[in-house]
Amino acid sequence: ATGVSANQWQALERALGDLSQTFQARYPHGPQYLQRLQALQAAQQVLLGQDATDGESAKTRSLTGEQLKQLDDIVRQFEQLKQEALLANPLLDFDRLLLIRRGEGNLGLPANWQSNSCLPITGFDNQLAVLSPIRPDGKLTTLFQPDGGRFVGDVDLHFDAQRMLFSMPGANGRWQVFELHVDGSGLRELPLIHEPDVDNYDACYLPDGRILFTSTAPFVGVPCVYGSSHVTNSYLLDHDGSIRQLTVDQEHNWCPTVLNNGRVLYLRWEYTDLPHSNSRILFHMNPDGTGQMEYYGSNSFFTNSFFYARPVPDHPTKVVGVATGHHGMQRSGRLLILDPALGRHEADGVVQEIPGWGKQVQPIIKDNLADGVWPQFLHPYPLSEKYFLVSAKPTPQSPWGIYLVDVFDNMLRLCEEPGYAMFEPVPLRKPVQPPVIADKVDRDRQDALVYLNDIYAGGGLGGIPRGAV
């Protein structure tokens, strides 16, 4: 009998202190929560015969049946306090949470060298659902369920919080992008590249009302699987219905989203002349496709992949995402906070892993980077630089659920259902709209400005005679 672990006491105490200090009058019961926590901890220490300073190393004596019941009651009260205190977080100031509910028989997670077009177009038991209120006993209702067992996912909420984009196979049997109002009405398929062998998906709204999406229209395939994984590049759907290709990459563009400064963040896989198992690099660009450059990870072997990255609210550079490998776990992995202002190579810019309070993240070079690591994470949605909604699978036996997690190592389950996976949590409220970046492309011009760097500058070609490369 061990009761509540030292790590659990400390994690909740850290969060209570932070919430009280950060929100003050908006978190009025913080002192009372802390007093209840300390009283429970003292009661457990007395019951187990622990010295308050000994922590987890304290010896425990054999307990009677009655004492075991008392210990179970302390654990139950701790969990109740944890739920009450963490759900009182003022950042949870919304009543409805959008999510994907998908049967465990087909999770719809492509391999880390694939995109949606490698998935079957039918055979899914999934819905767009809404959890309300945001708590474990909240009610889950279906907002939209596709017919024919089609996939639904890649949700992006408009800045007005009245409509959303998502990916789903269309009437022509290829992947398409659809728009839906948040009340479940107004379903429409966007007029994208409708050709018999082109797939379009994974779209996001831009601050000026245009839409960026990814498409297999370049007709490029991943070399090591003989072209069977069709590569997506990024495209822009303009107000007038015209479409323009933004990226010209040999490999995939994944997970586009808008940064707080109005630029577009995406994951770009490079393949040629590189160890391609470790060369998925966070990139960013202007919404018109100009200014494409590294955000994090160029010339690095860690992380192999960083899927589902999103910007942290009210911070100029921090992002949160899922670090995973090349083979092994499909899309899921370790939850990391990155800040390129601290460094862009290996683990130099890793602020923290969750859970992992006080631990330095090591830049492990490993193909299956996330295999055997628990909890596993998907689809983080940051509420601040300390608190996050995320899809998580705490143990190999656990179902995928929606959790509230924080940098202090607390994990609070909000939604879980045996036999189903809960993915893509998105608060149904207006997000902060980033600024509009004016287009820099002059479509009437036929020339371009090309920048050439001196490749001999820096340490990359140290010792190589100039002119040899």
Side-chain angles (χ1 to χ4, degrees), residues 269-285:
W269 187 18
E270 187 53 77
Y271 199 106
T272 302
D273 293 334
L274 288 171
H276 63 264
S277 62
N278 296 67
S279 56
R280 295 165 185 81
I281 301 164
L282 275 182
F283 257 60
H284 60 143
M285 65 179 173

Side-chain angles (χ1 to χ4, degrees), residues 52-187:
T53 62
D54 284 348
E56 285 189 316
S57 64
K59 301 289 186 181
T60 62
R61 63 175 184 263
S62 298
L63 300 182
T64 66
E66 180 59 32
Q67 289 171 327
L68 287 173
K69 289 182 180 179
Q70 294 176 25
L71 187 61
D72 288 343
D73 188 57
I74 289 174
V75 173
R76 180 185 57 80
Q77 290 185 63
F78 173 83
E79 292 299 332
Q80 289 178 343
L81 173 60
K82 176 181 174 181
Q83 178 174 312
E84 181 182 348
L86 296 182
L87 288 179
N89 189 330
L91 295 171
L92 296 172
D93 58 349
F94 50 94
D95 298 323
R96 305 170 73 209
L97 181 69
L98 186 68
L99 56 89
I100 297 294
R101 175 180 178 267
R102 184 172 298 142
E104 289 183 339
N106 192 346
L107 292 180
L109 299 174
N112 300 328
W113 61 88
Q114 297 176 335
S115 285
N116 291 23
S117 59
C118 289
L119 297 173
I121 62 172
T122 60
F124 295 95
D125 175 11
N126 59 184
Q127 307 88 32
L128 273 167
V130 175
L131 176 68
S132 182
I134 316 302
R135 51 186 308 111
D137 58 357
K139 183 180 180 182
L140 197 64
T141 57
T142 297
L143 180 66
F144 171 75
Q145 181 165 1
D147 56 15
R150 290 180 292 170
F151 172 101
V152 60
D154 303 331
V155 177
D156 186 76
L157 185 67
H158 193 274
F159 300 105
D160 64 11
Q162 296 300 308
R163 49 201 163 116
M164 70 192 79
L165 301 173
F166 59 85
S167 303
M168 183 173 70
N172 68 345
R174 311 301 299 200
W175 289 81
Q176 303 296 345
V177 177
F178 290 78
E179 188 173 54
L180 181 73
H181 295 156
V182 295
D183 62 1
S185 66
L187 178 68

Side-chain angles (χ1 to χ4, degrees), residues 438-449:
D439 282 359
K440 296 174 173 56
V441 171
D442 183 351
R443 299 179 69 175
D444 293 329
R445 291 181 59 172
Q446 298 299 311
D447 60 342
L449 180 62

Side-chain angles (χ1 to χ4, degrees), residues 235-255:
Y235 287 75
L236 179 68
L237 175 64
D238 216 325
H239 296 296
D240 61 3
S242 62
I243 292 173
R244 185 167 62 85
Q245 186 172 353
L246 301 184
T247 60
V248 185
D249 294 331
Q250 180 193 357
E251 297 299 336
H252 293 280
N253 298 159
W254 288 294
C255 308

